[in-house]
């Protein structure tokens, strides 16, 4: 009789998807999963509906349509200051997750250690475990959740080969500063580490300074693979369009790995994705203004309920300290909010290998305004 593979030992459905299912059962508002429930650009939908029959519906090249790679390279230069050769230094993938899986598969071996900053994005951890890599946690220092040199150096072992940095960060919304990324650069240079930069929230931030891409800091450019996607910037997570870019000598292996993993990203959606990637600056300014308003709405709701949300610099999540509920863990806090207020959140423990110092929950504000208003009312009234 067939048996479950050893690599699946200890693997289980994410806390995010589990909470989504519970929200559906109880009729609760789902602030747990980052479903990105805001409308895509109207022009993109209109053009897609008009032109879909005339688009290419065959396979694309394994690394994506040339036009898509060119448009992605243009956007990387415009928004992140990265100069990427679309012919040799970028690969189109099934979302940023596909880029992560291809990168880990191509460049690391089972048993290699990979540093992850706590709190981390849960799928980063899941990908490491699936590929039998060794996650090595580095605690971001509370209350500001900062990268410190002491914590980073203390986490390195003789098996450490890589580091993942997510900025703007999911789940806490931090945008790591140049000083913090210089720490990463110095340590990565000293220990010859591969750096994997996840910047899928690069276009969603709430202060004037533009996105700072890790690969532009210090000596990180020569050792960093940068992942992004169209999901967050254009509210099209279901299209599953992402890309990964980096030095040519590394991207060749990533290109080869991506092919058997996914075949190719959806060809007609890549064609439409070109149009999204070339939207003007006004679109992105409006996107940030929309999310800033949503952020303030949900922040005020949690504060009015006596809780302590952070002030995220980017992404579309709040990281809420629920100490005032009199609980010892985010698991307890999330259960209270679900049962008492019919609001689903994610326990902070889902983003840590070791227990967090405070009872955090994560709450998503990428939802329609009326849903956020309902959530605020439930927080205030207990239902």
């Amino acid at each position: 009789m067939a048996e479950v593979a050893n690599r699946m030992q200890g693997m289980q459905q994410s806390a995010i998807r589990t909470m989504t299912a519970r929200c559906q059962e109880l009729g609760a508002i789902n602030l747990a999963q980052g479903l990105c429930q805001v409308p895509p650009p109207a022009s993109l939908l209109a053009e897609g509906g008009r032109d879909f029959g005339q688009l290419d519906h065959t396979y694309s090249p394994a690394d994506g349509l040339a036009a898509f790679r060119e448009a992605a390279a243009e956007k990387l230069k415009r928004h992140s200051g990265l100069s990427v050769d679309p012919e040799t230094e970028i690969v189109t993938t099934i979302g940023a997750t596909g880029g992560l899986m291809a990168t880990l598969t191509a460049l690391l071996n089972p048993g290699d250690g990979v540093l992850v900053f706590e709190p981390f994005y849960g799928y980063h951890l899941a990908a490491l475990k699936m590929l039998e890599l060794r996650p090595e946690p580095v605690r971001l220092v509370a209350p500001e959740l900062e990268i410190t040199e002491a914590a980073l150096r203390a986490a390195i072992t003789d098996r450490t080969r890589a580091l993942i940095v997510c900025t703007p960060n999911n789940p806490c919304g931090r945008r790591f500063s140049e000083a913090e990324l210089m720490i990463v650069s110095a340590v990565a240079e000293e220990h010859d580490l591969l750096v994997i930069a996840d910047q899928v929230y690069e276009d969603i931030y709430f202060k004037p300074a533009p996105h700072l891409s890790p690969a532009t800091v210090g000596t990180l450019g020569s050792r960093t693979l940068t992942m992004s996607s169209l999901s967050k910037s254009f509210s099209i997570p279901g299209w599953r369009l992402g890309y990964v870019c980096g030095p040519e000598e590394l991207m060749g292996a990533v290109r080869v790995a991506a092919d058997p993993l996914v075949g190719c990203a959806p060809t007609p959606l890549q064609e439409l994705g070109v149009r999204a990637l070339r939207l003007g600056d006004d679109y992105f300014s409006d996107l940030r203004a929309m999310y800033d308003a949503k952020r303030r709405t949900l922040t005020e709701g949690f504060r009015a309920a006596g809780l302590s949300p952070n002030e995220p610099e980017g992404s579309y999540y709040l990281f809420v300290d629920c100490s005032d509920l009199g609980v010892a863990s985010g698991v307890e806090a999330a259960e209270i909010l679900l049962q008492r207020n019919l609001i689903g959140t994610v326990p902070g423990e889902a983003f840590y290998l070791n227990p967090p110092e405070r009872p955090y929950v994560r709450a998503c504000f990428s939802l329609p305004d009326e849903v956020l208003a309902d959530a605020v009312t439930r927080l205030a009234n207990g239902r």
Side-chain angles (χ1 to χ4, degrees):
M1 185 177 189
E3 296 182 355
V4 174
N6 291 338
R7 71 173 63 89
M8 297 304 295
Q9 291 181 8
M11 298 287 290
Q12 56 187 353
Q13 186 178 58
S14 74
I16 297 171
R17 292 195 181 276
T18 298
M19 182 59 78
T20 292
R22 294 193 66 198
C23 287
Q24 292 170 344
E25 293 170 4
L26 297 174
I29 294 176
N30 184 8
L31 304 183
Q33 190 169 355
L35 295 171
C36 196
Q37 294 181 324
V38 299
S43 62
L44 187 62
L45 295 182
E47 292 175 13
R50 183 192 67 205
D51 299 339
F52 200 75
Q54 285 72 52
L55 300 178
D56 186 352
H57 296 275
T58 61
Y59 293 118
S60 81
D63 56 357
L65 295 174
F68 184 90
R69 287 182 277 115
E70 289 166 4
E74 291 167 7
K75 182 177 181 294
L76 284 164
K77 180 64 175 177
R78 191 168 73 247
H79 289 217
S80 299
L82 290 175
S83 295
V84 175
D85 183 344
E87 288 294 319
T88 60
E89 295 183 329
I90 188 166
V91 172
T92 309
T93 58
I94 300 289
T97 302
L100 175 65
M101 292 297 290
T103 297
L104 296 176
T105 300
L107 302 179
L108 295 172
N109 296 310
D112 284 349
V114 181
L115 298 165
V116 289
F117 290 107
E118 293 180 314
F120 48 69
Y121 174 49
Y123 275 30
H124 291 165
L125 181 66
L128 296 179
K129 291 183 175 180
M130 184 71 71
L131 295 176
E132 300 179 17
L133 299 166
R134 177 177 171 170
E136 298 176 335
V138 183
R139 183 65 59 99
L140 296 177
V141 177
E144 300 301 324
L145 299 176
E146 296 174 310
I147 295 173
T148 66
E149 184 172 359
L152 181 54
R153 289 189 178 280
I156 293 174
T157 72
D158 58 0
R159 298 170 69 177
T160 305
R161 298 291 179 270
L163 177 153
I164 298 175
V165 59
C166 179
T167 181
N169 180 267
N170 175 5
C172 70
R174 276 297 319 282
R175 291 205 294 165
F176 296 122
S177 68
E178 184 173 9
E180 289 171 293
L181 294 175
M182 282 298 296
I183 292 171
V184 172
S185 176
V187 172
E189 183 78 15
E190 180 180 336
H191 292 274
D192 194 21
L193 303 180
L194 170 71
V195 175
I196 300 168
D198 181 342
Q199 59 178 41
V200 300
Y201 295 96
E202 62 193 308
D203 295 310
I204 303 173
Y205 53 85
F206 310 114
K207 292 183 179 180
H211 171 66
L212 178 61
S213 182
T216 65
V217 176
T219 60
L220 286 173
S222 63
R223 63 177 63 254
T224 298
L225 269 69
T226 301
M227 303 179 302
S228 193
S229 79
L230 277 64
S231 297
K232 321 303 180 184
S233 297
F234 306 104
S235 307
I236 50 173
W239 289 26
R240 308 310 301 134
L241 291 176
Y243 48 92
V244 57
C245 66
E248 181 178 356
E249 58 269 24
L250 299 178
M251 289 305 301
V254 174
R255 183 179 298 106
V256 171
D259 188 6
L261 283 172
V262 299
C264 68
T267 306
L269 298 183
Q270 287 187 60
E271 289 199 33
L272 293 175
V274 171
R275 308 180 195 189
L277 288 164
R278 290 180 171 153
L279 286 172
D281 291 343
D282 287 349
Y283 168 77
F284 296 99
S285 297
D286 291 345
L287 179 79
R288 287 189 283 275
M290 175 195 69
Y291 273 120
D292 194 25
K294 292 178 184 295
R295 175 182 68 92
R296 287 185 276 109
T297 294
L298 194 58
T299 295
E300 291 165 5
F302 275 107
R303 285 178 178 162
L307 304 179
S308 300
N310 69 333
E311 295 184 8
E313 301 160 86
S315 81
Y316 48 58
Y317 304 103
L318 299 180
F319 212 47
V320 185
D321 182 350
C322 296
S323 297
D324 287 348
L325 288 178
V327 296
S329 71
V331 172
E332 295 176 75
E335 191 65 23
I336 289 173
L337 290 169
L338 181 64
Q339 297 293 341
R340 186 185 72 185
N341 303 90
L342 284 181
I343 289 176
T345 58
V346 186
E349 286 79 1
F351 311 106
Y352 288 80
L353 281 172
N354 302 305
E357 52 277 293
R358 302 185 184 188
Y360 294 115
V361 299
R362 191 194 75 174
C364 174
F365 51 85
S366 182
L367 295 163
D369 290 342
E370 61 272 19
V371 176
L372 292 175
D374 190 2
V376 168
T377 299
R378 294 185 186 199
L379 285 168
N381 298 336
R383 172 54 70 87

